[in-house]
Amino acid sequence: MPTFTVLGAGAMGTALCKPFIDAGWEVRLWGTWLDDHLIDAIEAGQPHPRIKVAAAPGIRTFRSGQLAEALEGADVVDIAVTSEGLPRVTEMALDHIAGLRALCLTAKGFWTDPEGRIRLLPDAIRAIADQKGVSLPPLVAVGGPVKANECAAGEVTATTYASRDLALAETLAREAATDTYGIRPSDDETGVELCAALKNVYAISLGIADGLGEATGVPRHNLKAAAFAQAIREMSLLVAAVGGHSETPYGLAGVGDLEVTGLSGRNKLYGVRLGKGETPDGALAEMNRLEQTVEGYPAAPLAVAFAHQAGADEGTLPLLHAVARILQGGVDDVYAAVAAAVKPARP
Ligand SMILES: NC(=O)c1ccc[n+]([C@@H]2O[C@H](COP(=O)([O-])OP(=O)(O)OC[C@H]3O[C@@H](n4cnc5c(N)ncnc54)[C@H](O)[C@@H]3O)[C@@H](O)[C@H]2O)c1
């Protein structure tokens, strides 16, 4: 029985254990020093506090001081902490990963390297491993439209596993798929990671369209649909600019993930507030008060800087820039700003 260790007992880390248990793997879940209360709930068989679904029976749990035991003899490891936690958890794990078949990555977002360049998370892992002189197993980016609560409950879910080693992604897709968890293998690590990092920013624009409609009673579905299509177009251009496949955003990692993020996520809800006339800072303060992290807010300037490094500026990515400007508080009329960014120019 192959062994799968998940690092991070938050919503997504716990959820990802379910298909691997169903697929017959030995599954271990390691909680960081922030996760003791989550591990307590899992061990007591209670619903996971973040997703309100009980973790799959059969998971072996490990506390933060037991990282070496959790990783001992593992075949595949998945890092499922936030982008903020990734560098520290990676450093801690690197001493124990010799012999792994694959290092998977559920964590999503951007990383600023010591020279101030904005990088995707697999490159963060490579840089940290390089610095420590540790050789890495092949990396696998796990992406696509996966709401943690539904995945944890065994609802039908389609995901994508992307690795520069396509044969490995295909093998894992065969070994971890279940009747309800389908995995599309891909060789486009960059495309999958970039779509995931960008979608939270673009989801804010979808929320703005909904908020404008709610505030005025005049639906703005056309605006929202145009913003959706523009977001995918921009993701495609930027993915291609950094060496990924331009078609990746048109699949699960882009269209799929943006759809699910724009339906109900916290980024979309933040956008709704902006569409209804709240200021960016006021809306963010309110979201923080409700303990709702808006990942797209800090990601927006990083995404703009990442795009700039790749030579893709406002002419190529007008919606990304419009959202970033709105979040900076520099826009009075959010309707006009989003509309200008998503309307095709007059021929
Ligand atoms: N929730 C989803 O549906 C979903 C889907 C796909 C990808 N993701 C990605 O998975 C990652 C985790 O998301 P989540 O929803 O499980 O979040 P969560 O808040 O439920 O869990 C966060 C995890 O990160 C760890 N963590 C947070 N701050 C840390 C720090 N400073 N140092 C070390 N560890 C830290 C926590 O201990 C916990 O294990 C994110 O990058 C997210 O974008 C989430």
Side-chain angles (χ1 to χ4, degrees), residues 186-197:
S186 158
D187 63 358
D188 190 10
E189 171 200 289
T190 300
V192 167
E193 284 295 320
L194 188 51
C195 286

Side-chain angles (χ1 to χ4, degrees), residues 9-26:
M12 199 56 226
T14 305
L16 192 59
C17 294
K18 166 72 176 159
F20 280 81
I21 287 273
D22 289 349
W25 292 56
E26 177 187 330

Side-chain angles (χ1 to χ4, degrees), residues 175-317:
E175 293 179 352
T178 71
D179 287 348
T180 55
Y181 185 73
I183 304 168
R184 198 177 300 289
S186 158
D187 63 358
D188 190 10
E189 171 200 289
T190 300
V192 167
E193 284 295 320
L194 188 51
C195 286
L198 291 171
K199 57 119 196 286
N200 290 327
V201 182
Y202 286 114
I204 294 174
S205 73
L206 306 183
I208 288 174
D210 281 343
L212 286 162
E214 283 178 33
T216 59
V218 179
R220 295 282 158 64
H221 300 319
N222 289 2
L223 180 73
K224 185 176 182 183
F228 192 104
Q230 179 67 22
I232 298 299
R233 177 184 158 78
E234 293 187 12
M235 285 185 193
S236 175
L237 292 168
L238 188 51
V239 164
V242 293
H245 303 331
S246 58
E247 64 272 22
T248 294
Y250 292 91
L252 289 170
V255 171
D257 207 357
L258 186 59
E259 164 69 7
V260 94
T261 309
L263 281 175
S264 60
R266 295 167 289 195
N267 297 282
K268 175 235 148 84
L269 293 174
Y270 176 67
V272 168
R273 289 177 178 274
L274 302 182
K276 286 166 133 176
E278 293 183 33
T279 63
D281 286 351
L284 190 69
E286 191 52 20
M287 296 290 288
N288 287 339
R289 194 184 65 76
L290 298 168
E291 295 188 21
Q292 307 248 301
T293 311
V294 184
E295 286 179 276
Y297 184 90
L302 296 176
V304 166
F306 181 89
H308 183 69
Q309 285 168 195
D313 284 318
E314 185 158 7
T316 312
L317 310 171

Side-chain angles (χ1 to χ4, degrees), residues 58-117:
I59 298 171
R60 292 181 56 201
T61 49
F62 295 81
R63 307 259 166 179
S64 59
Q66 298 175 300
L67 181 61
E69 292 97 307
L71 291 171
E72 170 73 38
D75 296 286
V76 176
V77 168
D78 184 279
I79 304 182
V81 298
T82 57
S83 55
E84 192 191 1
L86 178 111
R88 176 92 187 95
V89 169
T90 300
E91 273 175 25
M92 291 168 64
L94 282 179
D95 292 334
H96 311 282
I97 60 161
L100 275 192
R101 282 170 55 204
L103 180 58
C104 297
L105 190 58
T106 293
K108 294 289 172 266
F110 294 104
W111 174 69
T112 307
D113 74 14
E115 284 80 46
R117 283 178 68 80

